[in-house]
Amino acid sequence: MIRIILFLLLIALGAAGAAWIAEQTGDVALSWGGYRAQMTLPVFVLALGVVIVAAMMIWAILRGLWRTPQRLRRNRRERRQARGRHAITQGLLAIGHGDSSAARIHADAARKHAAHDPLALLLHAQSAQLDGDREGAQRAFRAMAEREDTRLLGLRGLFIEAQRADDPVAAVMLAEEALKLSPSSSWASHAVLGFCCAKGDWAGALKILDNNQSAGLIDKATYRRQRGVLLTARALELEKVDRDLARESVMEAVKLAPTLVPAAVLASKFESEAHQVRRSMRLVEAAWLAQPHPDLADAYAHVKLGDSARQRLVRVETLAAKAPGHIEGALAIARAAIDASEFAKAREALAPFVDQPTQRVALLMAELERTEHGDSGRSRAWTLRAVRALHDPAWTADGYVSDRWRPVSPVTGRLDAFQWHTPVAALPSDKGPAIESSPFEEAMLATPRRAVVIAPPEPMNEPVAEPIVPNKPEPAAAPVAPEPSAAQDNTPPAPAAVEPAPAEASRPEPAAEPTPALAPQKPAESTPPQPAPLFRSRKDIPKTVPAPIPAVIPLVRAPDDPGVDEEGPPDEFAEQIGTPKAQAGGWRGFLSRWGGN
């Protein structure tokens, strides 16, 4: 609306001016050299306007002709830039969906049409990386590092290539240079921080962490946790070198991260040495409530130097009560109870975890059997079960399992990466949690301990019956002894059958091996009891029913039980050195025997 009003006003002013000029009287004379021109005022104004318009048109034509080459060059440059942008766009898209050949073609086109474009250099480097051309990628990143606008991007690319080439020195140098250019660069600060931690430069690592916090790269909670981790690492390193600095560092670490297990353990140790028992116990209890750990239980048990094993057991029971039902509390109680010879308490603590034991539970049960009863067989069975048992928690970071806590992951260089959890539980698997136990383990662990009662032999007044020779196996589920005849009334009675253990009640009876014909038996002085079966028979393979088992059966030992050497002490001079040579057969054996004779 305003433009229409202004246009109308201009038209009105032009018309008013033209009318005013037309009303003016008089002539205009122009004398130039020998020429004289005379005209009225309106005609003069009209002629002047025509001349001005013509001059402007001529100037525009001349100016256009003068600028034509420049315009042509600009248009050509714009077309090349458009082609370069199109090639860059298509190349980045090709890199996105992994088409290396298309990315390489578009990278060549972008380098041809837009050689100085930073995105063209980036596309060339990315396509070279996709093709596996490390030298080409390094050349592109070096070209980017030489420019001011892409210097940081070039350093990042060279840093990645140095990591791929397994050159940590060059990678750290590039990260330090990038950190000088941009203190807020997260990747550079992370790389330099990991390098400082790897070489043990805790002061430099703390300085970089402070810079990260001031630059806003991490929040306050993360800063406190990571600073506590670094201080703990420095305290652990200086524990035996500079105890004053180690104590100062770990005390600050406990204030920043009270749930950090290594910090709480070391701080409790220092407080215990300074006879600050209550403060030491509070430090361990705070970390125990957050995450029960065996190191915390050990530190709590030894918080008072010189205590007896029973005093340590009472203290450990107090700590375990703060996290009821946790396996670490039960293991700590069992460990302290074994040391205090309180075997009933140790069994009671381990009872909820015996059905599906972990390796530490199985080893404690093996030690308990060996210490309490001296039962080497059951101890070996528990030790064998420990090999197949569930894994215990361990310090794990990025799939790496360590026997001790570390401040930085050795795989990725991430700070505070180690966590206390079961390594196998973090990996997906369709297998079971543990390997099934063998029949030997089940038999050894299920056989109860019973007192062996040996019945005295009865006098045998009548002759012994003839040996029983099995003619044909009878289809019976279990071997049944034949009924004694009237002539065998004075035969020694068979030993009483031992009742199976509760764990073996549901287990099928094993099939006995077929025995050959028995020789005439002699009166035995004592009849040993028949041990419980150690192996289960397979149901998928049919077996023939063996002959009846005689009344007197020798004891069967476990496969790994060497037994008692019933023979006399061996004579070292009578023993044969080396393996005996087998006698040759055929004509060689005949010649050797004939020559020996």
Side-chain angles (χ1 to χ4, degrees):
M1 187 65 183
I2 297 176
R3 291 181 180 181
I4 295 175
I5 294 175
L6 291 176
F7 181 70
L8 294 176
L9 288 176
L10 289 176
I11 292 176
L13 289 176
W20 180 79
I21 292 175
E23 292 176 357
Q24 298 297 324
T25 58
D27 297 332
V28 177
L30 179 60
S31 178
W32 184 13
Y35 299 95
R36 179 180 176 82
Q38 185 176 358
M39 61 191 73
T40 61
L41 183 61
V43 175
F44 175 76
V45 173
L46 181 59
L48 183 61
V50 171
V51 171
I52 292 174
V53 171
M56 292 176 64
M57 292 178 64
I58 294 172
W59 172 254
I61 292 172
L62 294 176
R63 184 180 178 184
L65 293 174
W66 179 261
R67 292 185 175 182
T68 296
Q70 182 180 0
R71 188 179 297 109
L72 293 175
R73 289 193 299 269
R74 184 174 65 251
N75 292 338
R76 185 168 59 253
R77 183 171 61 253
E78 290 177 354
R79 286 195 300 270
R80 293 186 61 180
Q81 290 178 356
R83 293 174 182 173
R85 287 193 298 270
H86 180 268
I88 291 171
T89 303
Q90 296 300 322
L92 293 177
L93 292 176
I95 289 175
H97 57 75
D99 191 352
S100 60
S101 60
R104 184 172 59 255
I105 293 174
H106 290 300
D108 295 337
R111 184 170 53 181
K112 177 180 178 182
H113 297 293
H116 300 285
D117 195 335
L119 293 178
L121 295 175
L122 179 61
L123 176 60
H124 179 64
Q126 293 286 338
S127 62
Q129 286 182 338
L130 190 62
D131 284 340
D133 185 10
R134 293 186 175 180
E135 294 182 359
Q138 290 179 359
R139 286 194 300 269
F141 284 126
R142 287 195 191 97
M144 296 172 67
E146 292 176 357
R147 298 178 50 163
E148 294 295 334
D149 52 349
T150 59
R151 184 174 181 83
L152 192 60
L153 182 58
L155 292 176
R156 174 68 185 279
L158 292 175
F159 170 77
I160 295 175
E161 290 299 324
Q163 282 187 327
R164 290 182 177 179
D166 197 12
D167 189 359
V169 178
V172 171
M173 291 177 62
L174 293 168
E176 290 178 349
E177 186 176 356
L179 193 61
K180 293 178 182 178
L181 293 175
S182 176
S184 61
S185 180
S186 60
W187 66 269
S189 62
H190 176 76
V192 177
L193 180 62
F195 178 74
C196 291
C197 294
K199 68 178 183 179
D201 185 9
W202 307 117
L206 290 171
K207 182 179 179 181
I208 294 175
L209 189 64
D210 294 338
N211 293 335
N212 294 343
Q213 199 272 338
S214 60
L217 298 179
I218 55 177
D219 55 358
K220 187 175 181 180
T222 306
Y223 168 74
R224 291 174 60 88
R225 174 74 180 187
Q226 292 184 355
R227 183 173 178 83
V229 169
L230 293 176
L231 290 173
T232 303
R234 183 171 69 178
L236 290 174
E237 184 177 346
L238 299 178
E239 180 182 1
K240 298 181 180 179
V241 179
D242 190 350
R243 296 184 63 86
D244 294 336
L245 183 57
R247 178 185 175 85
E248 180 183 354
S249 301
V250 76
M251 290 305 170
E252 184 181 355
V254 168
K255 293 180 182 179
L256 295 173
T259 60
L260 187 60
V261 174
V265 170
L266 186 58
S268 173
K269 179 180 178 181
F270 281 123
E271 293 292 348
S272 176
E273 292 177 354
H275 303 288
Q276 300 292 333
V277 178
R278 292 180 178 268
R279 189 180 303 174
S280 176
M281 295 174 65
R282 284 197 299 267
L283 293 175
V284 175
E285 290 172 358
W288 179 269
L289 292 176
Q291 183 181 25
H293 193 275
D295 293 345
L296 294 173
D298 184 71
Y300 199 82
H302 297 84
V303 70
K304 285 185 179 180
L305 303 179
D307 279 358
S308 63
R310 296 184 182 273
Q311 291 175 337
R312 292 198 300 268
L313 175 59
V314 174
R315 191 177 302 114
V316 168
E317 289 177 344
T318 304
L319 180 65
K322 298 182 180 297
H326 201 279
I327 187 173
E328 293 295 342
L331 291 174
I333 292 177
R335 176 72 271 169
I338 292 175
D339 294 340
S341 299
E342 296 286 344
F343 304 114
K345 287 187 178 181
R347 291 186 180 276
E348 182 182 359
L350 296 176
F353 309 99
V354 169
D355 294 336
Q356 292 183 352
T358 63
Q359 294 178 350
R360 291 167 58 198
V361 171
L363 291 176
L364 282 176
M365 287 297 299
E367 184 178 356
L368 185 60
E369 295 290 348
R370 183 175 59 255
T371 306
E372 182 180 6
H373 301 290
D375 193 344
S376 60
R378 294 175 66 89
S379 177
R380 284 194 298 269
W382 276 111
T383 305
L384 182 60
R385 177 172 286 191
V387 179
R388 299 189 176 101
L390 300 173
H391 289 277
D392 289 289
W395 290 114
T396 308
D398 302 322
Y400 179 86
V401 181
S402 176
D403 58 344
R404 58 183 178 86
W405 176 83
R406 297 184 181 185
V408 182
S409 170
V411 180
T412 60
R414 183 164 52 95
L415 184 63
D416 192 22
F418 277 92
Q419 301 295 328
W420 181 258
H421 58 74
T422 306
V424 180
L427 301 177
S429 175
D430 57 349
K431 304 298 181 182
I435 303 176
E436 295 182 358
S437 58
S438 63
F440 169 72
E441 299 172 26
E442 295 180 358
M444 288 298 298
L445 297 179
T447 304
R449 304 182 186 86
R450 293 186 178 89
V452 178
V453 179
I454 301 175
E458 297 181 0
M460 301 184 64
N461 300 325
E462 299 182 10
V464 182
E466 292 295 331
I468 301 173
V469 178
N471 299 325
K472 182 178 180 181
E474 298 178 3
V480 179
E483 298 181 1
S485 59
Q488 295 176 344
D489 292 339
N490 297 330
T491 307
V498 181
E499 296 182 1
E504 297 176 343
S506 60
R507 200 173 304 150
E509 291 294 329
E513 296 292 334
T515 57
L518 301 178
Q521 300 178 0
K522 296 181 180 180
E525 297 181 0
S526 61
T527 305
Q530 179 181 359
L534 298 183
F535 299 93
R536 292 178 296 177
S537 60
R538 296 183 57 177
K539 298 300 182 181
D540 54 345
I541 302 177
K543 294 183 178 180
T544 59
V545 180
I549 302 176
V552 180
I553 302 176
L555 289 175
V556 179
R557 295 183 179 135
D560 58 344
D561 189 2
V564 180
D565 191 3
E566 298 177 356
E567 300 178 358
D571 189 2
E572 59 178 352
F573 299 100
E575 292 182 355
Q576 182 178 1
I577 299 176
T579 58
K581 296 183 180 179
Q583 184 175 2
W587 63 272
R588 293 183 179 178
F590 173 75
L591 292 178
S592 61
R593 291 192 296 272
W594 181 70
N597 295 331

